[in-house]
PDB file of all heavy atoms in Angstrom:
ATOM      1  N   PRO A1178    -113.687 204.126-115.910  1.00  0.00           N
ATOM      2  CA  PRO A1178    -112.901 203.574-117.062  1.00  0.00           C
ATOM      3  C   PRO A1178    -112.102 202.308-116.689  1.00  0.00           C
ATOM      4  O   PRO A1178    -111.541 202.289-115.522  1.00  0.00           O
ATOM      5  CB  PRO A1178    -111.962 204.758-117.505  1.00  0.00           C
ATOM      6  CG  PRO A1178    -112.598 206.000-116.911  1.00  0.00           C
ATOM      7  CD  PRO A1178    -113.273 205.521-115.606  1.00  0.00           C
ATOM      8  N   THR A1179    -112.040 201.311-117.603  1.00  0.00           N
ATOM      9  CA  THR A1179    -111.292 200.132-117.334  1.00  0.00           C
ATOM     10  C   THR A1179    -109.760 200.308-117.571  1.00  0.00           C
ATOM     11  O   THR A1179    -109.379 200.873-118.671  1.00  0.00           O
ATOM     12  CB  THR A1179    -111.735 199.084-118.311  1.00  0.00           C
ATOM     13  OG1 THR A1179    -113.114 198.789-118.165  1.00  0.00           O
ATOM     14  CG2 THR A1179    -110.977 197.801-118.065  1.00  0.00           C
ATOM     15  N   PRO A1180    -108.913 200.101-116.564  1.00  0.00           N
ATOM     16  CA  PRO A1180    -107.561 200.289-116.682  1.00  0.00           C
ATOM     17  C   PRO A1180    -106.879 199.398-117.768  1.00  0.00           C
ATOM     18  O   PRO A1180    -107.465 198.378-118.051  1.00  0.00           O
ATOM     19  CB  PRO A1180    -106.973 199.991-115.338  1.00  0.00           C
ATOM     20  CG  PRO A1180    -108.122 199.996-114.341  1.00  0.00           C
ATOM     21  CD  PRO A1180    -109.376 199.548-115.278  1.00  0.00           C
ATOM     22  N   PRO A1181    -105.701 199.800-118.292  1.00  0.00           N
ATOM     23  CA  PRO A1181    -105.112 198.996-119.201  1.00  0.00           C
ATOM     24  C   PRO A1181    -104.543 197.793-118.619  1.00  0.00           C
ATOM     25  O   PRO A1181    -104.202 197.660-117.398  1.00  0.00           O
ATOM     26  CB  PRO A1181    -103.961 199.915-119.867  1.00  0.00           C
ATOM     27  CG  PRO A1181    -103.704 200.878-118.769  1.00  0.00           C
ATOM     28  CD  PRO A1181    -105.053 201.075-118.126  1.00  0.00           C
ATOM     29  N   GLU A1182    -104.334 196.729-119.412  1.00  0.00           N
ATOM     30  CA  GLU A1182    -103.677 195.501-118.932  1.00  0.00           C
ATOM     31  C   GLU A1182    -102.243 195.753-118.620  1.00  0.00           C
ATOM     32  O   GLU A1182    -101.481 196.389-119.294  1.00  0.00           O
ATOM     33  CB  GLU A1182    -103.736 194.319-119.989  1.00  0.00           C
ATOM     34  CG  GLU A1182    -105.157 193.884-120.222  1.00  0.00           C
ATOM     35  CD  GLU A1182    -105.220 192.620-121.199  1.00  0.00           C
ATOM     36  OE1 GLU A1182    -104.055 192.138-121.492  1.00  0.00           O
ATOM     37  OE2 GLU A1182    -106.288 192.269-121.549  1.00  0.00           O
ATOM     38  N   ARG A1183    -101.834 195.305-117.432  1.00  0.00           N
ATOM     39  CA  ARG A1183    -100.429 195.472-117.005  1.00  0.00           C
ATOM     40  C   ARG A1183     -99.952 194.170-116.272  1.00  0.00           C
ATOM     41  O   ARG A1183    -100.809 193.544-115.591  1.00  0.00           O
ATOM     42  CB  ARG A1183    -100.369 196.658-116.009  1.00  0.00           C
ATOM     43  CG  ARG A1183    -100.419 197.960-116.706  1.00  0.00           C
ATOM     44  CD  ARG A1183    -100.077 199.116-115.640  1.00  0.00           C
ATOM     45  NE  ARG A1183    -100.115 200.404-116.292  1.00  0.00           N
ATOM     46  CZ  ARG A1183    -101.118 201.231-116.343  1.00  0.00           C
ATOM     47  NH1 ARG A1183    -102.258 200.888-115.681  1.00  0.00           N
ATOM     48  NH2 ARG A1183    -101.101 202.450-116.886  1.00  0.00           N
ATOM     49  N   SER A1184     -98.687 193.904-116.334  1.00  0.00           N
ATOM     50  CA  SER A1184     -98.065 192.858-115.648  1.00  0.00           C
ATOM     51  C   SER A1184     -98.156 193.090-114.168  1.00  0.00           C
ATOM     52  O   SER A1184     -98.138 194.233-113.703  1.00  0.00           O
ATOM     53  CB  SER A1184     -96.732 192.587-116.120  1.00  0.00           C
ATOM     54  OG  SER A1184     -95.881 192.585-115.196  1.00  0.00           O
ATOM     55  N   ASN A1185     -98.212 191.972-113.359  1.00  0.00           N
ATOM     56  CA  ASN A1185     -98.213 192.144-111.851  1.00  0.00           C
ATOM     57  C   ASN A1185     -97.066 192.833-111.354  1.00  0.00           C
ATOM     58  O   ASN A1185     -97.087 193.411-110.225  1.00  0.00           O
ATOM     59  CB  ASN A1185     -98.325 190.684-111.279  1.00  0.00           C
ATOM     60  CG  ASN A1185     -99.702 190.101-111.390  1.00  0.00           C
ATOM     61  OD1 ASN A1185    -100.715 190.821-111.620  1.00  0.00           O
ATOM     62  ND2 ASN A1185     -99.675 188.808-111.401  1.00  0.00           N
ATOM     63  N   LEU A1186     -95.958 192.831-112.158  1.00  0.00           N
ATOM     64  CA  LEU A1186     -94.613 193.464-111.744  1.00  0.00           C
ATOM     65  C   LEU A1186     -94.771 195.065-112.051  1.00  0.00           C
ATOM     66  O   LEU A1186     -93.899 195.719-111.431  1.00  0.00           O
ATOM     67  CB  LEU A1186     -93.577 192.927-112.505  1.00  0.00           C
ATOM     68  CG  LEU A1186     -93.063 191.490-112.107  1.00  0.00           C
ATOM     69  CD1 LEU A1186     -91.940 191.042-113.075  1.00  0.00           C
ATOM     70  CD2 LEU A1186     -92.706 191.332-110.637  1.00  0.00           C
ATOM     71  N   LYS A1187     -95.798 195.410-112.656  1.00  0.00           N
ATOM     72  CA  LYS A1187     -95.912 196.858-112.975  1.00  0.00           C
ATOM     73  C   LYS A1187     -97.031 197.546-112.307  1.00  0.00           C
ATOM     74  O   LYS A1187     -97.401 198.665-112.752  1.00  0.00           O
ATOM     75  CB  LYS A1187     -95.978 197.063-114.589  1.00  0.00           C
ATOM     76  CG  LYS A1187     -94.685 196.694-115.299  1.00  0.00           C
ATOM     77  CD  LYS A1187     -94.712 197.049-116.687  1.00  0.00           C
ATOM     78  CE  LYS A1187     -93.329 196.839-117.339  1.00  0.00           C
ATOM     79  NZ  LYS A1187     -93.349 197.315-118.719  1.00  0.00           N
ATOM     80  N   VAL A1188     -97.657 196.871-111.386  1.00  0.00           N
ATOM     81  CA  VAL A1188     -98.779 197.517-110.719  1.00  0.00           C
ATOM     82  C   VAL A1188     -98.825 197.040-109.276  1.00  0.00           C
ATOM     83  O   VAL A1188     -98.612 195.896-109.044  1.00  0.00           O
ATOM     84  CB  VAL A1188    -100.199 197.210-111.464  1.00  0.00           C
ATOM     85  CG1 VAL A1188    -100.423 195.845-111.466  1.00  0.00           C
ATOM     86  CG2 VAL A1188    -101.230 198.066-110.920  1.00  0.00           C
ATOM     87  N   ILE A1189     -99.211 197.912-108.385  1.00  0.00           N
ATOM     88  CA  ILE A1189     -99.537 197.639-106.981  1.00  0.00           C
ATOM     89  C   ILE A1189    -100.975 198.198-106.782  1.00  0.00           C
ATOM     90  O   ILE A1189    -101.164 199.449-106.639  1.00  0.00           O
ATOM     91  CB  ILE A1189     -98.574 198.325-105.981  1.00  0.00           C
ATOM     92  CG1 ILE A1189     -97.120 197.814-106.276  1.00  0.00           C
ATOM     93  CG2 ILE A1189     -99.000 197.927-104.549  1.00  0.00           C
ATOM     94  CD1 ILE A1189     -96.138 198.498-105.333  1.00  0.00           C
ATOM     95  N   SER A1190    -102.023 197.289-106.792  1.00  0.00           N
ATOM     96  CA  SER A1190    -103.330 197.742-106.793  1.00  0.00           C
ATOM     97  C   SER A1190    -103.917 197.760-105.381  1.00  0.00           C
ATOM     98  O   SER A1190    -103.794 196.827-104.593  1.00  0.00           O
ATOM     99  CB  SER A1190    -104.187 196.817-107.654  1.00  0.00           C
ATOM    100  OG  SER A1190    -105.563 197.268-107.642  1.00  0.00           O
ATOM    101  N   ILE A1191    -104.584 198.885-105.004  1.00  0.00           N
ATOM    102  CA  ILE A1191    -105.226 198.943-103.714  1.00  0.00           C
ATOM    103  C   ILE A1191    -106.644 198.622-103.791  1.00  0.00           C
ATOM    104  O   ILE A1191    -107.269 197.865-102.977  1.00  0.00           O
ATOM    105  CB  ILE A1191    -105.002 200.356-103.176  1.00  0.00           C
ATOM    106  CG1 ILE A1191    -103.541 200.735-102.958  1.00  0.00           C
ATOM    107  CG2 ILE A1191    -105.838 200.582-101.839  1.00  0.00           C
ATOM    108  CD1 ILE A1191    -103.257 202.157-102.778  1.00  0.00           C
ATOM    109  N   PHE A1192    -107.376 199.218-104.896  1.00  0.00           N
ATOM    110  CA  PHE A1192    -108.807 198.858-105.109  1.00  0.00           C
ATOM    111  C   PHE A1192    -109.068 198.949-106.550  1.00  0.00           C
ATOM    112  O   PHE A1192    -108.997 200.133-107.190  1.00  0.00           O
ATOM    113  CB  PHE A1192    -109.648 199.910-104.312  1.00  0.00           C
ATOM    114  CG  PHE A1192    -111.116 199.592-104.364  1.00  0.00           C
ATOM    115  CD1 PHE A1192    -111.706 198.793-103.420  1.00  0.00           C
ATOM    116  CD2 PHE A1192    -111.902 200.201-105.367  1.00  0.00           C
ATOM    117  CE1 PHE A1192    -113.153 198.535-103.527  1.00  0.00           C
ATOM    118  CE2 PHE A1192    -113.330 199.899-105.576  1.00  0.00           C
ATOM    119  CZ  PHE A1192    -113.899 199.014-104.625  1.00  0.00           C
ATOM    120  N   SER A1193    -109.350 197.884-107.181  1.00  0.00           N
ATOM    121  CA  SER A1193    -109.723 197.816-108.627  1.00  0.00           C
ATOM    122  C   SER A1193    -110.169 196.446-109.018  1.00  0.00           C
ATOM    123  O   SER A1193    -109.572 195.424-108.553  1.00  0.00           O
ATOM    124  CB  SER A1193    -108.487 198.267-109.448  1.00  0.00           C
ATOM    125  OG  SER A1193    -108.842 198.147-110.825  1.00  0.00           O
ATOM    126  N   ASN A1194    -111.123 196.395-109.839  1.00  0.00           N
ATOM    127  CA  ASN A1194    -111.625 195.121-110.374  1.00  0.00           C
ATOM    128  C   ASN A1194    -110.632 194.582-111.443  1.00  0.00           C
ATOM    129  O   ASN A1194    -110.687 193.424-111.863  1.00  0.00           O
ATOM    130  CB  ASN A1194    -112.993 195.244-111.039  1.00  0.00           C
ATOM    131  CG  ASN A1194    -114.052 195.338-109.965  1.00  0.00           C
ATOM    132  OD1 ASN A1194    -113.843 195.263-108.806  1.00  0.00           O
ATOM    133  ND2 ASN A1194    -115.311 195.448-110.455  1.00  0.00           N
ATOM    134  N   ALA A1195    -109.885 195.423-112.037  1.00  0.00           N
ATOM    135  CA  ALA A1195    -108.966 195.132-113.180  1.00  0.00           C
ATOM    136  C   ALA A1195    -107.641 194.398-112.763  1.00  0.00           C
ATOM    137  O   ALA A1195    -106.991 193.691-113.559  1.00  0.00           O
ATOM    138  CB  ALA A1195    -108.612 196.357-113.915  1.00  0.00           C
ATOM    139  N   TYR A1196    -107.268 194.619-111.437  1.00  0.00           N
ATOM    140  CA  TYR A1196    -105.963 194.075-111.003  1.00  0.00           C
ATOM    141  C   TYR A1196    -106.181 193.221-109.775  1.00  0.00           C
ATOM    142  O   TYR A1196    -107.300 193.236-109.087  1.00  0.00           O
ATOM    143  CB  TYR A1196    -104.978 195.064-110.696  1.00  0.00           C
ATOM    144  CG  TYR A1196    -104.640 195.999-111.815  1.00  0.00           C
ATOM    145  CD1 TYR A1196    -104.883 197.403-111.809  1.00  0.00           C
ATOM    146  CD2 TYR A1196    -104.263 195.455-113.072  1.00  0.00           C
ATOM    147  CE1 TYR A1196    -104.671 198.273-112.894  1.00  0.00           C
ATOM    148  CE2 TYR A1196    -104.073 196.256-114.228  1.00  0.00           C
ATOM    149  CZ  TYR A1196    -104.177 197.699-114.104  1.00  0.00           C
ATOM    150  OH  TYR A1196    -103.961 198.555-115.107  1.00  0.00           O
ATOM    151  N   THR A1197    -105.088 192.509-109.403  1.00  0.00           N
ATOM    152  CA  THR A1197    -105.122 191.822-108.049  1.00  0.00           C
ATOM    153  C   THR A1197    -104.711 192.813-106.887  1.00  0.00           C
ATOM    154  O   THR A1197    -103.729 193.350-106.850  1.00  0.00           O
ATOM    155  CB  THR A1197    -104.129 190.606-108.072  1.00  0.00           C
ATOM    156  OG1 THR A1197    -104.534 189.678-109.082  1.00  0.00           O
ATOM    157  CG2 THR A1197    -104.199 189.846-106.692  1.00  0.00           C
ATOM    158  N   ASN A1198    -105.732 193.138-105.969  1.00  0.00           N
ATOM    159  CA  ASN A1198    -105.481 193.993-104.953  1.00  0.00           C
ATOM    160  C   ASN A1198    -104.655 193.456-103.783  1.00  0.00           C
ATOM    161  O   ASN A1198    -104.645 192.252-103.543  1.00  0.00           O
ATOM    162  CB  ASN A1198    -106.833 194.461-104.376  1.00  0.00           C
ATOM    163  CG  ASN A1198    -107.742 195.135-105.439  1.00  0.00           C
ATOM    164  OD1 ASN A1198    -107.212 195.941-106.325  1.00  0.00           O
ATOM    165  ND2 ASN A1198    -109.012 194.842-105.384  1.00  0.00           N
ATOM    166  N   ILE A1199    -103.941 194.271-103.198  1.00  0.00           N
ATOM    167  CA  ILE A1199    -103.095 193.914-101.896  1.00  0.00           C
ATOM    168  C   ILE A1199    -104.082 193.449-100.869  1.00  0.00           C
ATOM    169  O   ILE A1199    -105.273 193.920-100.864  1.00  0.00           O
ATOM    170  CB  ILE A1199    -102.238 194.981-101.525  1.00  0.00           C
ATOM    171  CG1 ILE A1199    -103.015 196.298-101.109  1.00  0.00           C
ATOM    172  CG2 ILE A1199    -101.146 195.432-102.563  1.00  0.00           C
ATOM    173  CD1 ILE A1199    -102.135 197.415-100.473  1.00  0.00           C
ATOM    174  N   ASP A1200    -103.710 192.573-100.020  1.00  0.00           N
ATOM    175  CA  ASP A1200    -104.469 192.023 -99.039  1.00  0.00           C
ATOM    176  C   ASP A1200    -104.564 192.837 -97.750  1.00  0.00           C
ATOM    177  O   ASP A1200    -103.622 193.580 -97.405  1.00  0.00           O
ATOM    178  CB  ASP A1200    -104.004 190.596 -98.546  1.00  0.00           C
ATOM    179  CG  ASP A1200    -104.222 189.601 -99.700  1.00  0.00           C
ATOM    180  OD1 ASP A1200    -105.089 189.709-100.475  1.00  0.00           O
ATOM    181  OD2 ASP A1200    -103.340 188.722 -99.748  1.00  0.00           O
ATOM    182  N   GLY A1201    -105.786 192.856 -97.116  1.00  0.00           N
ATOM    183  CA  GLY A1201    -105.871 193.380 -95.755  1.00  0.00           C
ATOM    184  C   GLY A1201    -106.066 194.885 -95.583  1.00  0.00           C
ATOM    185  O   GLY A1201    -105.900 195.344 -94.450  1.00  0.00           O
ATOM    186  N   THR A1202    -106.449 195.559 -96.740  1.00  0.00           N
ATOM    187  CA  THR A1202    -106.532 196.996 -96.498  1.00  0.00           C
ATOM    188  C   THR A1202    -107.893 197.428 -95.726  1.00  0.00           C
ATOM    189  O   THR A1202    -108.876 196.848 -96.073  1.00  0.00           O
ATOM    190  CB  THR A1202    -106.639 197.697 -97.908  1.00  0.00           C
ATOM    191  OG1 THR A1202    -105.381 197.450 -98.583  1.00  0.00           O
ATOM    192  CG2 THR A1202    -106.774 199.197 -97.743  1.00  0.00           C
ATOM    193  N   ASN A1203    -107.744 198.224 -94.780  1.00  0.00           N
ATOM    194  CA  ASN A1203    -108.892 198.650 -94.017  1.00  0.00           C
ATOM    195  C   ASN A1203    -109.340 200.108 -94.682  1.00  0.00           C
ATOM    196  O   ASN A1203    -108.664 201.043 -94.556  1.00  0.00           O
ATOM    197  CB  ASN A1203    -108.488 199.010 -92.534  1.00  0.00           C
ATOM    198  CG  ASN A1203    -109.734 199.392 -91.759  1.00  0.00           C
ATOM    199  OD1 ASN A1203    -110.825 199.580 -92.226  1.00  0.00           O
ATOM    200  ND2 ASN A1203    -109.508 199.676 -90.454  1.00  0.00           N
TER     201      ASN A1203
END
């Protein structure tokens, strides 16, 4: 399912096409 739109201040994304993911995750 596609996640809802959220402001960058309201999400910390690890893995998702819907948001900007944090860098450098192994």
Side-chain angles (χ1 to χ4, degrees):
T1179 301
E1182 292 187 9
R1183 289 189 173 96
S1184 125
N1185 289 334
L1186 292 175
K1187 292 190 175 184
V1188 64
I1189 301 174
S1190 181
I1191 299 167
F1192 184 90
S1193 177
N1194 284 358
Y1196 304 123
T1197 301
N1198 300 321
I1199 59 176
D1200 293 328
T1202 300
N1203 183 358

